[in-house]
């Protein structure tokens, strides 16, 4: 399972709600023995756009282009989730190779 690390601006109420939801997701993964990876927003943006400071619209356009979609996902959250999945898919082979080399 892959998650984006929590980022919040001025809205503390939203940050608490997202933090609670993220905690439940991590707990559920742990209870089922699923490995859980976490990426910063900058890592996700860099993996998809090549630039860790890309804007939401750029991320959505790149997700659409890389996945061969006709248009960007209509919801920011959908584009973000797909971007996190793509980041994780691109990093997993390297992480696995490093684990085998060390282990």
């Amino acid at each position: 399972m892959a998650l984006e690390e929590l980022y919040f601006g001025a809205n503390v109420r939203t940050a608490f709600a997202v933090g609670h939801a993220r905690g439940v997701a991590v707990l559920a993964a742990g209870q089922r023995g699923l490995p859980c990876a976490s990426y910063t927003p900058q890592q996700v943006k860099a993996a998809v756009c090549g630039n860790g400071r890309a804007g939401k619209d750029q991320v959505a356009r790149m997700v659409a282009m890389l996945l061969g979609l006709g248009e960007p996902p209509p919801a920011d959250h959908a584009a973000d989730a797909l971007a996190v999945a793509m980041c994780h898919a691109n990093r997993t082979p390297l992480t696995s190779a490093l684990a085998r080399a060390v282990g």
Side-chain angles (χ1 to χ4, degrees), residues 3-99:
L3 298 168
E4 187 174 30
E5 290 183 10
L6 182 60
Y7 170 82
F8 67 94
N11 193 338
V12 176
R13 175 175 263 164
T14 299
F16 275 113
V18 172
H20 288 131
R22 190 176 189 283
V24 170
V26 171
L27 175 64
Q31 289 176 332
R32 287 159 183 77
L34 297 174
C36 187
S38 185
Y39 303 102
T40 67
Q42 292 79 17
Q43 287 173 312
V44 174
K45 291 173 183 180
V48 174
C49 299
N51 177 359
R53 294 180 177 261
K56 283 197 168 286
D57 60 327
Q58 185 178 358
V59 172
R61 287 193 316 270
M62 284 301 295
V63 164
M65 187 182 84
L66 293 170
L67 294 178
L69 304 175
E71 58 187 42
D76 287 343
H77 297 304
D80 290 346
L82 290 168
V84 171
M86 294 167 68
C87 175
H88 185 63
N90 287 334
R91 294 179 66 110
T92 298
L94 175 60
T95 303
S96 297
L98 289 172

